[in-house]
Amino acid sequence: MSQRTVTVTALVRYLKSKLENDALIQGILVEGEISNFSAYRSGHWYFSIKDAGAQMRCVMFAGANRRMTWMPKDGDKVIVQADVSVYEGRGEMQLLVTGMKPAGIGDLFLQYEALKAKLAEEGLFDESHKKPIPPYPMRIALVTGKNTAARADVLNTLGRRWPIASIAEFPVLVQGTESAAQIIDALKKADTMGFDVILLVRGGGSIEDLWSFNDERLARTIYQLNTPIITGVGHEVDFTIADFVSDLRAPTPTGAAERCSPDIREVEASLSSLRSRLIVDMNHRMNKEQKALDSLSESPVFRNPMRLYTEPQLRLNTLSLEFRRLLNTVSYRLNQSLEDSRHALVLAAGQRISYAQLKLQETSQNLNHAAKADAVVQRERLNRDASLLDAYSPLKVLRRGYSITMKDQKAVRSAEELAPGDEVSVLLGTGSFRGTVEAVSEKEIDHGKEGNDI
């Protein structure tokens, strides 16, 4: 052996270096089926991707799978974006996955999952919001494509199961760019017309064909409807956003018609059974009541109806007599008591009046005596006051030779009040006279002398 030997580690690292430096296999897109998928507590995902001829181990670290909006599982067909590398511990080639999406669906599926998660978080899928489906709808609105197999299936099913219902059709486009807007308009119109239930159906197709039923505006319209709505879109494996928001999801258009309507044959059978039971119950009740009536008709009361009220009549008469006796007794006692009270009242009133008359006479005499005594005292006081007034009367002073000089009807007290030429009147003890002042002297007069100078 002319070649030198190398260690396993060195060989694996060499191969690892070669692979990781080859730009052609870095960021490569690989399509295959997932198997042996495991999600560790660390957040890393470990799985294999395989096809009919080979498989490779894969690892998707937590930093990369954190951006995923859906959880892969065994059997999913996917396209992964990865770098080719070697795991040195086992010397195995592996893919370091940096991105993943479902194979064959691509961006539409990712949009679907993102919208589904958004609306679920907002509560549009909550069971508490879903309205009950009426058990016997008589007015049904059908929103579907015109002249489609889904329409025919629904009409055939309803015609077979519940032909007594009235069906109003709202034909719309069920795929294409304009279909979502047409479906929304049809649902809003039907919601105002008083239908018992609305059916929104479409036959199967690819995800692109069914994409109108994943429209966010349509989902919010369905959520706001006042009328219960059943969806039957695609095949049993197809789920659209409209299915999650609706009040009831059926796997197919035919299933929607079946969920909407009862089977008229079963209803008729049930009604027939109920009718039979009602007749049996009525006959049983009538027989029972007839027996009771027969038993009552044979009773002594019905044979002699007078017994029903004879005894009560006797009791009533007895009570009436007792009541009258009691009433007379009470009335007599009341009259006696009233008469006694009247006599007592008259006697008491007479005594009170006599006493009051005596008190009045006594008071009158006392008042007369007091008035006479007071009159004597007042008369004596008046005489004294009159004598005193007479003693101090100015007329007596005038009779002793004094006079009163008046000017302008006012008594003159001082010579300063007079001036030569003033007219005065002089009041004497007997009579008076008028005169004119000739001269005035302010010299004090000796009051020991009688007379005044004028």
Side-chain angles (χ1 to χ4, degrees):
M1 295 179 62
S2 60
Q3 295 179 341
R4 66 185 183 88
T5 60
V6 295
T7 63
V8 175
T9 300
L11 177 59
V12 171
R13 287 180 178 174
Y14 173 79
L15 294 174
K16 177 181 175 68
S17 176
K18 283 291 185 179
L19 293 174
E20 292 180 351
N21 289 314
D22 188 344
L24 292 178
I25 56 176
Q26 301 304 311
I28 191 171
L29 298 177
V30 182
E31 182 176 356
E33 179 182 325
I34 291 178
S35 64
N36 302 317
F37 180 85
S38 297
Y40 283 71
R41 295 180 61 183
S42 61
H44 306 324
W45 292 350
Y46 296 92
F47 56 94
S48 296
I49 187 170
K50 65 180 181 177
D51 57 20
Q55 71 174 5
M56 288 187 64
R57 291 184 178 275
C58 302
V59 58
M60 191 173 189
F61 294 115
N65 65 44
R66 192 176 295 120
R67 297 187 296 271
M68 295 282 290
T69 60
W70 57 284
M71 175 67 75
K73 63 182 183 300
D74 289 348
D76 286 348
K77 291 184 178 181
V78 297
I79 298 175
V80 299
Q81 183 179 30
D83 298 330
V84 180
S85 181
V86 173
Y87 179 59
E88 296 183 11
R90 291 192 299 267
E92 294 179 351
M93 186 171 60
Q94 65 178 4
L95 296 179
L96 302 180
V97 179
T98 57
M100 181 189 306
K101 63 181 179 180
I105 299 178
D107 293 336
L108 287 181
F109 184 78
L110 297 179
Q111 293 175 28
Y112 167 85
E113 289 293 336
L115 179 59
K116 178 182 173 184
K118 174 184 175 182
L119 299 182
E121 184 176 357
E122 292 182 20
L124 269 68
F125 304 161
D126 290 352
E127 289 294 328
S128 60
H129 181 74
K130 297 186 183 299
K131 298 175 286 295
I133 306 301
Y136 305 104
M138 299 306 297
R139 300 187 67 236
I140 301 173
L142 175 59
V143 181
T144 188
K146 185 177 182 180
N147 298 326
T148 60
R151 170 184 174 274
D153 291 342
V154 170
L155 294 179
N156 289 336
T157 302
L158 291 177
R160 171 175 48 83
R161 289 175 57 85
W162 196 235
I164 62 175
S166 172
I167 303 172
E169 296 187 51
F170 295 82
V172 294
L173 292 176
V174 290
Q175 70 181 62
T177 57
E178 299 179 2
S179 64
Q182 289 191 15
I183 295 171
I184 290 172
D185 291 340
L187 291 177
K188 288 182 177 179
K189 182 178 180 181
D191 194 41
T192 63
M193 298 176 66
F195 289 102
D196 296 324
V197 67
I198 298 174
L199 296 182
L200 176 59
V201 300
R202 186 206 189 281
S206 66
I207 188 172
E208 290 82 4
D209 295 337
L210 303 179
W211 194 248
S212 298
F213 295 87
N214 294 322
D215 187 90
E216 181 175 355
R217 296 169 302 161
L218 174 59
R220 297 190 183 280
T221 299
I222 293 174
Y223 182 78
Q224 294 170 357
L225 292 178
N226 295 313
T227 309
I229 181 171
I230 301 175
T231 54
V233 180
H235 298 301
E236 188 168 357
V237 295
D238 297 320
F239 279 85
T240 65
I241 297 297
D243 291 321
F244 290 110
V245 186
S246 67
D247 298 306
L248 180 63
R249 183 254 178 187
T252 61
T254 301
E258 292 175 346
R259 297 288 183 88
C260 166
S261 61
D263 190 332
I264 193 168
R265 291 169 297 183
E266 294 178 357
V267 174
E268 290 175 345
S270 177
L271 290 175
S272 177
S273 175
L274 290 174
R275 180 176 179 275
S276 299
R277 289 175 55 189
L278 180 60
I279 291 174
V280 171
D281 290 343
M282 288 178 60
N283 290 333
H284 177 72
R285 181 67 178 270
M286 291 176 64
N287 291 333
K288 180 179 179 181
E289 296 299 331
Q290 184 63 49
K291 290 181 180 179
L293 180 60
D294 294 341
S295 175
L296 289 174
S297 64
E298 295 298 325
S299 64
V301 172
F302 281 94
R303 289 200 304 269
N304 185 12
M306 295 290 293
R307 296 180 60 181
L308 285 173
Y309 59 87
T310 300
E311 184 176 350
Q313 182 67 42
L314 292 175
R315 292 184 60 194
L316 180 61
N317 292 337
T318 302
L319 290 175
S320 177
L321 292 174
E322 291 180 357
F323 177 74
R324 288 177 182 178
R325 286 197 297 270
L326 179 62
L327 184 62
N328 292 333
T329 301
V330 172
S331 177
Y332 174 78
R333 291 177 180 177
L334 287 176
N335 288 333
Q336 287 295 112
S337 177
L338 183 61
E339 186 67 20
D340 294 343
S341 299
R342 188 181 68 81
H343 287 306
L345 180 61
V346 170
L347 180 60
Q351 293 176 351
R352 190 66 177 268
I353 291 172
S354 298
Y355 177 75
Q357 288 176 344
L358 292 175
K359 290 293 291 183
L360 181 61
Q361 291 176 359
E362 182 180 353
T363 303
S364 176
Q365 292 175 0
N366 293 336
L367 286 175
N368 288 333
H369 293 158
K372 291 178 179 179
D374 186 66
V376 171
V377 172
Q378 295 296 334
R379 187 178 294 108
E380 292 177 353
R381 183 180 297 172
L382 179 62
N383 291 334
R384 286 198 307 271
D385 292 343
S387 300
L388 186 61
L389 286 173
D390 183 66
Y392 287 98
S393 173
L395 295 177
K396 287 192 174 184
V397 176
L398 293 177
R399 292 191 185 99
R400 292 201 302 268
Y402 292 94
S403 65
I404 299 175
T405 304
M406 306 287 288
K407 177 185 175 182
D408 298 332
Q409 297 182 355
K410 293 182 180 180
V412 177
R413 299 179 181 277
S414 173
E416 296 177 350
E417 300 177 10
L418 299 174
D422 288 344
E423 290 187 359
V424 296
S425 60
V426 179
L427 181 65
L428 303 175
T430 301
S432 63
F433 67 89
R434 298 177 64 83
T436 302
V437 179
E438 295 183 354
V440 178
S441 174
E442 296 182 0
K443 181 178 179 181
E444 293 185 1
I445 301 175
D446 186 358
H447 295 286
K449 300 178 181 181
E450 293 183 355
N452 293 321
D453 292 333
I454 299 177

